[in-house]
Amino acid sequence: SGIAFMIAFLRIALLLTAVSAYKWMEKIKVPSMSNFRQMIDGKRFGDKKLVVITGTSSGLGKQTAKHLLRTGEYHVIGAVRDLEKMATVAEVENFNMENFTPMKLDLGSYSSVHNFCDELDKFRADRPLDRVVCNAAVYQPSLDYAKWTEDDHEQQLQTNYLSHFLMCSKLMPLMKGSEDPRMIMVGSVTGNDNTVGGGGVYPVADLKDLEGLEYGCKNPISMIDGYNFNGAKAYKDTKLCLMMFSNMLHERYHRSTGIAFSSIYPGCIAESPLFREKRPWFRKYFPVFMKYVTGGFVGEEEAGQRLFQVIHDPRCTKSGVYWSWNGGPREGRGAEAIEKGGQIVGAGGAGGGWDSIFENDQSDKVLDRDKAGRLWKLSSEITNAEWPLAYQPKSPCPTLKVVTLATSLLTKWEDMQRMKKSREMGLTPALAAAAAAKAKEEARAAAKEKELKIADALRLPAQNPAKEPEQQRLGDRLREKAAKTGAGSSAPVGTEAVNTVAALNKILKPAERYKKVTRKVTKALKPKAQQPEFDLASLMKSGKVEMPKIPAGHELLGDIPVVFNPEGKATMARAGQPLSEIATQADAFINYKCRKGECGTCEVQINGKWVRACQHKIPPLPKGEVLAVSVRPVAAGVEKKKPSTFFSPASFMEGVVNNGLGMVGFVKECAGADPEFEERMERERRIAEEVEKRRLEKVAAGKAGGVPQQ
């Protein structure tokens, strides 16, 4: 009977193998009205790829959306919390609304994440998602206490990481069928501690043993490591989590789904609204510090171009990569930084064009597989995220399938015989007793540990005294210490900031004293205006000058060749793109000052005519024509030189000189930082006022029409 059963089983296995040969037919759907409607709805996207980006109403997300829309190859779904603000920004930035759809997503709410994913599934019709970009984030380094979401998590933790984790679990199946699917996490150097920015700036990202996450990370437990709240560390920890999450997605699902999972660090966007929680003096002087002292400054537009590259460039289809641009930010500063107004581009600074992208190294913390596995498990439990089974592709060989099925049956039969033998020998009760004793001991230890942690959490000072009066009981040790020292209360919030501002003003008030010195230094370093003495386009047309080679991948960026002289750098552009953006793309330097077209610092010559680069846009050209841009070169005395050998006496001296000159540039620029800062703040105020105006108009219209307002 056993042989007959095996023969029958093998027949069934062969039948299943034959059926699997027709697996390609699974994509064919039975005709129905719903399928027909989906096909019709999907056609409205044409041949455009669908891209989902969180946080497109400001900063990096806004600039990336602009780049994507400019190509005409994408339909962008902007996932934002405030639709009124998004509508205002889209109008101000002149978004092409035919290819842009804003959708409501509050990352501080799991229910909002579920609603967004459901609505997106309906909106896409029969089209797969081609790109998913987790960009939105909040940064609250100045808070003395945690803010909580409606799900009772610390705000940065849920917005930056947990809700993105849940969202990806729901959107990943919707990417099935895409020819080039990519899922991208916007990480940060602060989450990668093998760099100066990540490992040398306190506090350092460190998840410890994930104790806070093990207990659910709910009020009053605000941090992943289970310790007391620290706003700056909370942000850095979430970025570390995102980078680990990207690696786990790559390991589990890349081979089976074909999705390219990656993380990126676009650079320090020092002027970004991400720093809106910081004090005004910090927002004013931090960009200047990053330009002159660290050399790590990156503008919003350039950062948006970098994220756009990872979304668009065929070179970025590789999975499991942490994308970055250029080398260390502390190289190549000094005289060149002053000459270029802090705008360092190329391999020495944070700037750099399309071809400066590289696969960066990840720190040991990011690559910790054991901790990443626990992080995945705990995050899934907290968010109730459901993931498909991770599996590796198997050979389609029919023989292998038949043999595997037969072997699995024999294995089960053998296991049954072994279990029977174990019971006969009396091993099963002994094993069960040992397992029960071990489980009991582990449960006792876990319960004790949990009690201690909860007790420690309740002994902490109140994180939000106005909201949580029951937490105002301090531990016995803290009360005793306060009684001994006589310090009944801490210094008022903001004292440190006031002292810092006073100290900074003390330094900057005598800036007039340094003006003569800095004027002499900059005058000595500033080159005389060198105007091109020939028409580059005419020379290339006549064949006297050879057309520079267009770098690989740039042919996807447009249909107009653009060449920058005297650097000989070439790229492709589209009509209507800002010239400043194309210069960044080509890694060509243009010196800017006011960026309003008033000062003339950025004047360049295009096909024999002088224009101001900050205001000029690429004109339409006949096919075969080249747009030649002649730029005033950097003075020979301040051009970047090859760095000296690391830790050599020469490198030490270069470091001293670079730091000194960087501080000269910092002090000089700080004295004139007010107008630029005020312009940025005024732009943010205008958008906020317009959003409020639209809300009031909507409320008034609702009342007039008798529509209840929520």
Side-chain angles (χ1 to χ4, degrees):
S1 60
I3 295 174
F5 176 77
M6 283 295 295
I7 292 173
F9 178 79
L10 287 173
R11 285 177 177 173
I12 294 171
L14 287 170
L15 180 61
L16 291 173
T17 303
V19 170
S20 68
Y22 295 93
K23 196 172 182 181
W24 60 273
M25 296 179 68
E26 70 180 3
K27 293 185 179 180
I28 299 177
K29 298 179 181 178
V30 177
S32 67
M33 286 303 297
S34 62
N35 291 343
F36 180 72
R37 280 195 296 269
Q38 281 194 329
M39 287 172 60
I40 296 299
D41 291 343
K43 285 184 177 179
R44 71 181 183 272
F45 301 119
D47 58 353
K48 295 179 177 62
K49 296 180 175 69
L50 295 186
V51 183
V52 178
I53 308 177
T54 61
T56 52
S57 62
S58 65
L60 177 62
K62 178 186 73 175
Q63 295 296 336
T64 305
K66 286 171 64 178
H67 284 283
L68 289 166
L69 293 172
R70 197 173 286 131
T71 66
E73 297 178 20
Y74 299 92
H75 188 99
V76 180
I77 295 103
V80 294
R81 179 177 55 85
D82 191 336
L83 290 174
E84 295 290 343
K85 180 181 178 182
M86 185 69 254
T88 303
V89 169
E91 184 179 323
V92 170
E93 299 292 343
N94 198 26
F95 278 19
N96 179 3
M97 296 307 292
E98 289 184 4
N99 295 331
F100 181 78
T101 303
M103 295 185 75
K104 173 79 173 180
L105 171 62
D106 183 358
L107 290 168
S109 163
Y110 292 143
S111 63
S112 178
V113 174
H114 286 289
N115 291 337
F116 166 75
C117 294
D118 293 342
E119 290 300 316
L120 179 60
D121 192 17
K122 296 175 187 175
F123 175 76
R124 74 183 179 99
D126 67 336
R127 295 290 298 276
L129 301 179
D130 296 282
R131 310 284 192 274
V132 173
V133 183
C134 299
N135 162 71
V138 292
Y139 180 42
Q140 299 167 336
S142 305
L143 288 181
D144 297 319
Y145 55 86
K147 288 183 177 179
W148 307 98
T149 66
E150 69 174 48
D151 297 302
D152 242 7
H153 297 302
E154 191 272 323
Q155 207 170 73
Q156 294 174 100
L157 172 61
Q158 182 167 355
T159 302
N160 301 359
Y161 171 62
L162 288 175
S163 285
H164 277 129
F165 184 91
L166 175 62
M167 184 188 78
C168 289
S169 72
K170 294 181 71 67
L171 295 189
M172 194 174 72
L174 308 187
M175 302 181 79
K176 185 179 181 181
S178 172
E179 295 180 359
D180 179 20
R182 306 182 197 180
M183 188 173 280
I184 302 159
M185 310 291 156
V186 177
S188 172
V189 69
T190 60
N192 205 36
D193 69 355
N194 60 350
T195 60
V196 174
V201 180
Y202 176 83
V204 176
D206 190 351
L207 307 182
K208 308 255 181 231
D209 291 325
L210 305 173
E211 289 129 322
L213 210 61
E214 282 191 350
Y215 294 114
C217 258
K218 289 199 170 185
N219 189 354
I221 302 172
S222 58
M223 301 290 288
I224 293 175
D225 59 14
Y227 294 9
N228 64 309
F229 178 71
N230 182 309
K233 186 178 183 300
Y235 172 81
K236 295 181 179 184
D237 285 351
T238 61
K239 289 300 180 180
L240 173 57
C241 287
L242 277 176
M243 294 168 73
M244 296 171 76
F245 175 42
S246 177
N247 289 343
M248 288 300 293
L249 284 169
H250 165 71
E251 288 190 12
R252 288 171 178 250
Y253 297 113
H254 170 60
R255 291 194 64 190
S256 59
T257 64
I259 300 173
F261 301 100
S262 63
S263 58
I264 80 159
Y265 172 55
C268 181
I269 315 170
E271 294 177 342
S272 168
L274 180 68
F275 297 103
R276 64 174 68 89
E277 298 277 349
K278 295 292 257 182
R279 299 177 180 92
W281 66 265
F282 180 90
R283 296 193 68 183
K284 182 189 293 186
Y285 299 119
F286 182 59
V288 183
F289 178 81
M290 294 302 294
K291 283 182 181 180
Y292 288 95
V293 180
T294 70
F297 175 84
V298 175
E300 277 189 11
E301 185 177 288
E302 183 177 3
Q305 189 177 78
R306 292 177 174 186
L307 180 51
F308 161 71
Q309 180 178 5
V310 177
I311 295 170
H312 181 72
D313 193 343
R315 290 176 294 180
C316 298
T317 56
K318 188 173 181 179
S319 187
V321 175
Y322 170 47
W323 296 108
S324 296
W325 286 258
N326 297 314
R330 293 187 60 82
E331 301 170 9
R333 295 174 295 124
E336 188 189 15
I338 296 178
E339 164 64 19
K340 293 184 174 182
Q343 303 166 64
I344 306 268
V345 296
W354 193 266
D355 295 312
S356 64
I357 190 170
F358 70 98
E359 298 175 25
N360 204 348
D361 295 326
Q362 301 183 60
S363 69
D364 291 340
K365 288 178 182 174
V366 177
L367 297 173
D368 188 338
R369 286 190 175 189
D370 293 338
K371 190 171 290 185
R374 288 181 59 221
L375 177 67
W376 178 284
K377 178 177 177 293
L378 294 171
S379 300
S380 298
E381 291 173 356
I382 290 172
T383 61
N384 291 318
E386 296 179 0
W387 295 92
L389 291 174
Y391 65 90
Q392 295 298 322
K394 297 177 178 64
S395 170
C397 173
T399 305
L400 175 63
K401 293 186 177 182
V402 172
V403 172
T404 302
L405 286 170
T407 304
S408 64
L409 180 65
L410 290 172
T411 302
K412 288 180 180 178
W413 182 81
E414 178 67 21
D415 287 345
M416 290 172 63
Q417 297 302 314
R418 292 178 64 203
M419 289 173 64
K420 183 179 178 182
K421 194 72 174 174
S422 297
R423 284 194 295 270
E424 290 174 357
M425 295 176 64
L427 294 177
T428 303
L431 290 172
K438 185 178 179 182
K440 189 175 181 180
E441 185 62 31
E442 288 177 352
R444 186 185 296 113
K448 186 175 181 181
E449 183 70 16
K450 186 173 182 178
E451 288 175 4
L452 289 172
K453 287 189 178 298
I454 292 172
D456 286 342
L458 292 175
R459 287 194 193 102
L460 293 175
Q463 293 185 335
N464 190 342
K467 188 177 178 181
E468 301 163 11
E470 69 275 9
Q471 286 188 36
Q472 294 184 27
R473 302 188 304 275
L474 299 175
D476 295 334
R477 288 175 294 164
L478 296 177
R479 278 199 293 269
E480 289 174 6
K481 185 177 179 182
K484 288 178 183 178
T485 57
S489 63
S490 58
V493 175
T495 304
E496 183 182 350
V498 172
N499 292 339
T500 308
V501 173
L504 192 58
N505 288 333
K506 195 172 181 181
I507 295 172
L508 296 178
K509 278 180 182 176
E512 294 294 330
R513 194 182 309 160
Y514 298 114
K515 275 189 177 180
K516 292 182 180 179
V517 178
T518 54
R519 196 178 296 120
K520 287 180 181 179
V521 173
T522 52
K523 188 176 180 181
L525 294 172
K526 189 174 181 180
K528 294 180 180 178
Q530 299 180 30
Q531 299 189 6
E533 298 176 355
F534 52 84
D535 186 349
L536 181 62
S538 300
L539 290 175
M540 284 192 294
K541 202 169 184 178
S542 64
K544 294 180 181 179
V545 175
E546 187 179 349
M547 169 74 183
K549 185 179 179 182
I550 302 291
H554 284 230
E555 68 276 0
L556 302 171
L557 302 177
D559 51 6
I560 300 174
V562 182
V563 179
F564 291 88
N565 175 62
E567 297 175 271
K569 294 179 177 178
T571 186
M572 301 294 287
R574 289 183 172 84
Q577 280 188 269
L579 179 60
S580 58
E581 180 183 303
I582 302 305
T584 302
Q585 178 177 296
D587 203 3
F589 173 74
I590 297 176
N591 195 12
Y592 302 97
K593 192 67 177 176
C594 70
R595 289 189 179 268
K596 298 178 182 178
E598 298 173 358
C599 67
T601 304
C602 62
E603 281 190 344
V604 296
Q605 193 182 67
I606 297 182
N607 295 351
K609 295 181 180 180
W610 287 94
V611 299
R612 298 188 175 181
C614 65
Q615 301 296 312
H616 191 73
K617 294 187 177 181
I618 303 296
L621 291 180
K623 191 172 182 180
E625 291 286 327
V626 177
L627 188 72
V629 182
S630 298
V631 183
R632 296 189 179 107
V634 179
V638 296
E639 286 179 350
K640 197 158 42 190
K641 299 175 182 177
K642 186 177 180 181
S644 304
T645 306
F646 192 56
F647 267 121
S648 67
S651 70
F652 175 76
M653 288 305 299
E654 283 179 5
V656 172
V657 172
N658 281 345
N659 281 306
L661 289 170
M663 289 306 299
V664 169
F666 175 68
V667 173
K668 172 179 175 290
E669 192 75 12
C670 279
D674 282 337
E676 187 177 346
F677 172 71
E678 289 300 329
E679 185 179 342
R680 278 193 287 129
M681 295 300 101
E682 179 60 27
R683 188 161 57 245
E684 291 184 15
R685 280 194 293 268
R686 281 202 310 269
I687 290 177
E689 288 170 2
E690 182 62 27
V691 170
E692 187 60 27
K693 180 182 174 183
R694 292 188 179 208
R695 283 202 184 103
L696 292 174
E697 289 175 353
K698 191 175 180 181
V699 170
K703 287 181 178 178
V707 179
Q709 298 297 310
Q710 294 183 352

